[in-house]
Amino acid sequence: MILRQLLMGAMAALMFGQALAQPQPLDEVAVLVNDGVILKSEIDERMTSVKRGALQAGQQLPSDAALRTQVIDRLIAESLQLQMAERMGLVISDIQLDQTLENMAREQGMTLQGLRQEIESDGTNYAAYREQIRREITIGQVQRIQVQRRVQISPQEINTLVEMINEQGLQDAEFHVGHILIDFGGDETAARGRADKVLELLEGGADFAQTALAASSGPKALEGGDWGFMNINEMPTLFAEVVKDAKKGDIIGPIKSGAGFHIITIYDTRGQEVQEVAEVNARHILLKPSPILSEDMAKTLLDEFMADVKDGKADFGELAREHSDDPGSAARGGDLGWADPNMYVPAFRDTLARLKVGEYSEPFRSSHGWHVVQLLDRRITDATDQANSDRAYQLLFRRKFGEQVNAWQEEMRAAAYIEVLDRSGRRS
């Protein structure tokens, strides 16, 4: 009896040892992509992620088979692009990755730690999420490098789209219109002379409503020529033709019609997208430190220049022409012209922000060297046209970039070795 029990125990131990010795597959190769592979676990993880996202967004998904095909196609495209990044030596450092994640957290109004807690709250592994973001950044940079040069946008395309943007904006815009009509009164030449005189008075600052009461023969003369707010489709054709590009405060005319000469003003607009930019006009002297000119010497020299300027012994513009290391502005006496201050490096921009019109700065250091700057003037400009041109370019670029990315990916795929294996690892 005891011997039998010992034999049974030995057999059980042997069977257990054989079970332990049996190899346990940890993962399987699902797709061969050139010299790389896509593992079954990658496909499963991506499918789980897609399903989780669809559930949170309340979206319907196709069947698992169809979804799996889509996921495999996406992973193949990613693999090809990551392989290209590797050949290019493109690497996203941990510092770049951390900065991106911090920006993502900031945009959502949370800290990086808060973002991590939110990601992990639904069961997502933060380390895996972090690496996925690294992959996405890498792929984005590869696409920009490889595809951007393939995108061509003509000025005509931009102009056509700008016209469409302007027309679409006019559908919602309303203009507060003032109107004066100088009728012919049997003498067109005399009427034109009266109209020119009225325009001269208005441009000289005369009140439009009072002038309309005194001089207008129009249907709204008793209301000071005030037609109120009107949409482009509601106003008389004559008005509609001239207010399309008009801005608040504009005075337009005289415009001849069968009734006489018209003068129109735009009191105000609403529903119209207007982009205004605060610009500065400045001039400066730049000295760049070198082996010959030390940092201290550059600052001291600028101090001496400014002492002479303030004492009336030297002219700022002449000093800039003779000594400034900024060749673009030196020839103009240091004049930088009108510009959005945000185009300048932070030290230069911030110094201008502290100055009053006409005031000189103390010598200061920027990434370019040592400067003294004078703020000549400030103004607010209407940058709507430029903003619409920039918007049109970006819209066209994004559309064409997407088209070229798809074409580029198809070219890479056509030239690649790709083989999808079944779950056992055999070629299908």
Side-chain angles (χ1 to χ4, degrees):
M1 185 68 178
I2 294 174
L3 179 60
R4 183 178 179 184
Q5 289 175 340
L6 289 172
L7 288 172
M8 290 292 290
M11 289 177 64
L14 179 61
M15 292 173 64
F16 181 70
Q18 289 176 337
L20 287 176
Q22 190 70 26
Q24 300 295 319
L26 298 177
D27 209 338
E28 298 175 8
V29 174
V31 187
L32 302 175
V33 184
N34 289 331
D35 296 330
V37 298
I38 297 172
L39 300 175
K40 177 182 175 295
S41 61
E42 294 180 75
I43 299 171
D44 293 340
E45 287 169 6
R46 187 64 63 89
M47 287 188 66
T48 299
S49 176
V50 170
K51 287 180 178 180
R52 184 187 299 119
L55 181 64
Q56 292 172 348
Q59 297 173 336
Q60 284 291 115
L61 287 174
S63 66
D64 276 6
L67 180 61
R68 189 177 188 84
T69 299
Q70 292 179 17
V71 165
I72 289 174
D73 285 344
R74 174 64 63 84
L75 288 171
I76 289 171
E78 290 180 8
S79 179
L80 290 170
Q81 291 171 92
L82 290 169
Q83 288 177 31
M84 177 167 284
E86 187 174 355
R87 292 194 297 272
M88 293 166 58
L90 181 59
V91 177
I92 304 302
S93 68
D94 287 342
I95 293 174
Q96 289 175 276
L97 181 58
D98 288 339
Q99 288 175 342
T100 300
L101 289 167
E102 286 174 2
N103 290 337
M104 291 170 60
R106 193 177 301 112
E107 288 171 3
Q108 298 178 50
M110 62 178 70
T111 64
L112 184 56
Q113 182 61 31
L115 177 65
R116 176 171 185 166
Q117 291 172 353
E118 183 170 305
I119 290 166
E120 292 177 338
S121 66
D122 63 3
T124 301
N125 181 280
Y126 180 72
Y129 174 84
R130 197 168 180 274
E131 289 310 306
Q132 179 58 30
I133 296 297
R134 193 196 301 270
R135 286 163 61 101
E136 291 174 5
I137 298 170
T138 304
I139 289 169
Q141 290 200 10
V142 171
Q143 289 180 355
R144 281 191 290 275
I145 293 168
Q146 295 296 321
V147 179
Q148 190 165 345
R149 61 175 178 264
R150 299 167 58 139
V151 177
Q152 301 295 326
I153 300 172
S154 70
Q156 183 57 44
E157 288 178 293
I158 295 174
N159 292 337
T160 301
L161 187 52
V162 166
E163 289 177 7
M164 292 176 60
I165 291 171
N166 289 336
E167 289 174 6
Q168 186 176 7
L170 284 172
Q171 301 305 312
D172 300 323
E174 291 184 317
F175 299 83
H176 186 182
V177 177
H179 170 248
I180 294 173
L181 170 63
I182 307 298
D183 62 22
F184 291 137
D187 188 341
E188 182 177 328
T189 303
R192 176 64 197 230
R194 293 197 306 274
D196 288 340
K197 181 61 177 177
V198 167
L199 182 63
E200 182 182 343
L201 290 170
L202 293 171
E203 289 179 340
D207 182 77
F208 193 95
Q210 290 181 2
T211 305
L213 278 168
S216 180
S217 302
K220 299 285 187 179
L222 293 179
E223 290 83 16
D226 192 343
W227 284 69
F229 275 99
M230 293 183 292
N231 182 269
I232 199 86
N233 298 315
E234 299 171 327
M235 60 183 63
T237 304
L238 176 71
F239 292 6
E241 289 174 350
V242 299
V243 306
K244 287 182 178 179
D245 299 320
K247 306 294 186 296
K248 178 179 177 179
D250 284 356
I251 299 174
I252 307 161
I255 305 161
K256 181 182 175 182
S257 77
F261 292 96
H262 303 261
I263 299 172
I264 295 168
T265 190
I266 306 298
Y267 286 120
D268 202 357
T269 64
R270 64 187 183 196
Q272 189 178 32
E273 190 171 336
V274 177
Q275 298 286 335
E276 291 185 333
V277 175
E279 292 185 326
V280 294
N281 186 10
R283 59 180 181 169
H284 79 137
I285 299 172
L286 168 66
L287 297 182
K288 295 183 177 181
S290 68
I292 299 173
L293 183 68
S294 69
E295 296 275 345
D296 289 340
M297 289 173 62
K299 181 180 181 302
T300 300
L301 194 55
L302 288 176
D303 279 325
E304 293 173 358
F305 287 167
M306 293 314 301
D308 288 345
V309 168
K310 292 173 182 177
D311 290 341
K313 298 177 181 178
D315 178 75
F316 189 96
E318 290 301 322
L319 289 172
R321 288 186 184 91
E322 185 177 351
H323 299 285
S324 181
D325 289 328
D326 177 9
S329 68
R332 301 189 300 272
D335 194 342
L336 295 164
W338 287 102
D340 180 348
N342 292 311
M343 69 172 283
Y344 298 128
V345 294
F348 201 93
R349 176 199 65 206
D350 296 343
T351 299
L352 282 171
R354 292 190 291 268
L355 294 179
K356 297 177 182 177
V357 172
E359 188 177 4
Y360 295 100
S361 74
E362 295 295 324
F364 66 96
R365 184 71 159 88
S366 82
S367 55
H368 297 299
W370 282 92
H371 309 255
V372 285
V373 61
Q374 182 188 24
L375 177 63
L376 298 174
D377 205 356
R378 299 184 189 274
R379 71 180 182 187
I380 302 295
T381 60
D382 186 344
T384 305
D385 291 341
Q386 184 60 50
N388 284 343
S389 293
D390 293 343
R391 180 184 172 196
Y393 178 86
Q394 291 300 326
L395 288 170
L396 289 166
F397 182 86
R398 283 197 292 269
R399 187 186 74 198
K400 291 193 172 190
F401 187 83
E403 293 169 354
Q404 290 298 329
V405 165
N406 291 336
W408 172 66
Q409 289 177 342
E410 288 301 321
E411 291 168 13
M412 278 201 303
R413 184 160 185 152
Y417 174 78
I418 299 168
E419 191 163 7
V420 180
L421 310 176
D422 67 21
R423 293 187 61 178
S424 64
R426 297 191 301 271
R427 287 165 174 74
S428 58

